[in-house]
Coordinates of all heavy atoms in Angstrom, one line a residue:
E1 N -1.1 87.6 173.7 CA -1.2 86.3 174.4 C -2.1 85.4 173.5 O -3.2 85.7 173.2 CB -1.8 86.4 175.8 CG -0.9 87.0 176.8 CD -1.5 86.9 178.2 OE1 -2.4 86.1 178.4 OE2 -1.1 87.7 179.1
G2 N -1.6 84.2 173.2 CA -2.3 83.3 172.4 C -2.2 81.8 172.8 O -1.5 81.5 173.7
G3 N -2.9 81.0 172.1 CA -2.9 79.5 172.4 C -3.7 79.1 173.7 O -3.4 78.1 174.2
R4 N -4.6 79.9 174.1 CA -5.4 79.6 175.3 C -6.6 78.8 175.0 O -7.2 79.0 174.0 CB -5.7 81.0 176.0 CG -4.5 81.8 176.4 CD -4.8 83.1 177.0 NE -5.9 83.8 176.3 CZ -7.0 84.3 176.8 NH1 -7.2 84.1 178.1 NH2 -7.9 84.9 176.1
K5 N -7.0 77.9 175.9 CA -8.2 77.1 175.7 C -9.0 77.3 177.0 O -8.5 77.5 178.1 CB -7.8 75.7 175.5 CG -7.1 75.4 174.2 CD -6.9 74.0 173.9 CE -6.2 73.9 172.6 NZ -6.0 72.5 172.2
G6 N -10.3 77.1 176.8 CA -11.3 77.2 177.9 C -12.2 76.0 177.9 O -12.4 75.3 176.9
L7 N -12.6 75.7 179.1 CA -13.5 74.5 179.3 C -14.9 75.0 179.5 O -15.1 75.8 180.5 CB -13.1 73.6 180.4 CG -13.9 72.4 180.7 CD1 -13.9 71.4 179.6 CD2 -13.4 71.7 182.0
Y8 N -15.9 74.7 178.7 CA -17.2 75.1 178.8 C -18.1 73.9 179.2 O -18.1 72.9 178.5 CB -17.7 75.7 177.5 CG -19.1 76.3 177.5 CD1 -19.4 77.4 178.2 CD2 -20.1 75.5 176.9 CE1 -20.7 77.9 178.2 CE2 -21.4 76.0 176.9 CZ -21.7 77.2 177.5 OH -23.0 77.6 177.5
K9 N -18.9 74.1 180.2 CA -19.8 73.1 180.7 C -21.2 73.4 180.3 O -21.6 74.5 180.5 CB -19.7 72.9 182.2 CG -20.6 71.8 182.8 CD -20.4 71.7 184.3 CE -21.7 71.9 185.0 NZ -21.6 71.8 186.4
N10 N -21.8 72.5 179.6 CA -23.2 72.8 179.1 C -24.1 71.7 179.6 O -23.8 70.5 179.4 CB -23.2 72.8 177.5 CG -24.4 73.2 176.9 OD1 -25.2 73.9 177.6 ND2 -24.6 72.9 175.7
E11 N -25.2 72.1 180.3 CA -26.1 71.1 180.8 C -27.4 71.2 179.9 O -27.9 72.2 179.7 CB -26.5 71.4 182.2 CG -25.3 71.2 183.2 CD -25.7 71.4 184.6 OE1 -26.8 71.9 184.9 OE2 -24.8 71.1 185.5
V12 N -27.8 70.0 179.4 CA -28.9 69.9 178.5 C -30.0 69.2 179.2 O -29.8 68.2 179.8 CB -28.5 69.2 177.2 CG1 -29.7 69.0 176.3 CG2 -27.4 69.8 176.5
L13 N -31.2 69.9 179.2 CA -32.4 69.3 179.8 C -33.3 68.9 178.7 O -33.9 69.7 178.0 CB -33.1 70.2 180.8 CG -34.2 69.7 181.6 CD1 -33.8 68.5 182.4 CD2 -34.8 70.8 182.5
D14 N -33.4 67.6 178.4 CA -34.2 67.1 177.3 C -35.6 67.0 177.8 O -35.9 66.9 179.0 CB -33.7 65.6 177.0 CG -34.0 65.2 175.6 OD1 -35.0 65.8 175.0 OD2 -33.3 64.4 175.0
D15 N -36.6 67.2 176.9 CA -38.0 67.2 177.2 C -38.4 65.9 177.8 O -39.4 65.8 178.6 CB -38.8 67.5 176.0 CG -38.7 68.9 175.5 OD1 -38.3 69.8 176.4 OD2 -38.9 69.2 174.3
S16 N -37.7 64.8 177.5 CA -38.1 63.5 178.0 C -37.4 63.2 179.4 O -37.6 62.1 179.9 CB -37.7 62.4 177.0 OG -36.3 62.4 176.8
S17 N -36.6 64.1 179.9 CA -35.8 63.8 181.1 C -36.0 65.0 182.0 O -36.1 66.1 181.7 CB -34.3 63.7 180.7 OG -33.6 63.6 181.9
I18 N -35.9 64.7 183.3 CA -36.0 65.7 184.3 C -34.6 66.0 185.0 O -34.5 66.9 185.7 CB -37.0 65.4 185.4 CG1 -36.7 64.0 186.1 CG2 -38.4 65.4 184.9 CD1 -37.5 63.7 187.3
I19 N -33.7 65.2 184.6 CA -32.3 65.3 185.1 C -31.4 65.9 184.0 O -31.3 65.3 182.9 CB -31.7 64.0 185.7 CG1 -32.6 63.5 186.8 CG2 -30.3 64.2 186.1 CD1 -32.3 62.1 187.3
P20 N -30.7 67.0 184.2 CA -29.9 67.6 183.2 C -28.7 66.6 182.9 O -28.2 66.0 183.8 CB -29.4 68.9 183.7 CG -30.1 69.1 185.0 CD -30.8 67.8 185.4
V21 N -28.3 66.6 181.6 CA -27.1 65.8 181.2 C -26.0 66.8 181.0 O -26.2 67.8 180.3 CB -27.5 65.0 179.9 CG1 -26.2 64.3 179.4 CG2 -28.6 64.1 180.1
E22 N -24.9 66.5 181.6 CA -23.7 67.5 181.5 C -22.9 67.1 180.2 O -22.5 66.0 180.0 CB -22.9 67.4 182.7 CG -21.7 68.3 182.7 CD -20.8 68.2 183.9 OE1 -21.3 68.5 185.0 OE2 -19.7 67.8 183.8
R23 N -22.6 68.2 179.5 CA -21.7 68.0 178.3 C -20.6 69.1 178.5 O -20.9 70.2 178.8 CB -22.4 68.2 177.0 CG -23.4 67.1 176.7 CD -23.9 67.2 175.3 NE -24.8 66.1 175.1 CZ -26.1 66.4 174.8 NH1 -26.5 67.6 174.6 NH2 -26.9 65.4 174.6
R24 N -19.3 68.7 178.3 CA -18.2 69.6 178.3 C -17.6 69.8 177.0 O -17.5 68.9 176.2 CB -17.2 69.2 179.3 CG -17.7 69.1 180.8 CD -16.6 68.7 181.7 NE -17.2 68.7 183.1 CZ -16.5 68.8 184.1 NH1 -15.1 68.9 184.1 NH2 -17.0 68.8 185.3
S25 N -17.3 71.1 176.7 CA -16.6 71.4 175.4 C -15.4 72.2 175.6 O -15.3 73.0 176.5 CB -17.6 72.3 174.5 OG -18.8 71.7 174.4
V26 N -14.3 71.9 174.8 CA -13.1 72.7 174.8 C -13.2 73.7 173.8 O -13.5 73.4 172.6 CB -11.9 71.8 174.6 CG1 -10.6 72.6 174.5 CG2 -11.8 70.7 175.7

């Protein structure tokens, strides 16, 4: 089985921020 893709959600908490920023990657 090939050609499959996944969605990865990455939350980054910067030292200057208390609210995580969401980034999504394929």
Side-chain angles (χ1 to χ4, degrees):
E1 287 189 18
R4 300 174 316 121
K5 293 186 179 185
L7 180 62
Y8 180 74
K9 181 176 123 179
N10 190 18
E11 292 182 354
V12 178
L13 187 58
D14 205 334
D15 291 335
S16 63
S17 172
I18 57 172
I19 299 172
V21 177
E22 180 180 298
R23 294 194 182 115
R24 294 181 179 204
S25 305
V26 175

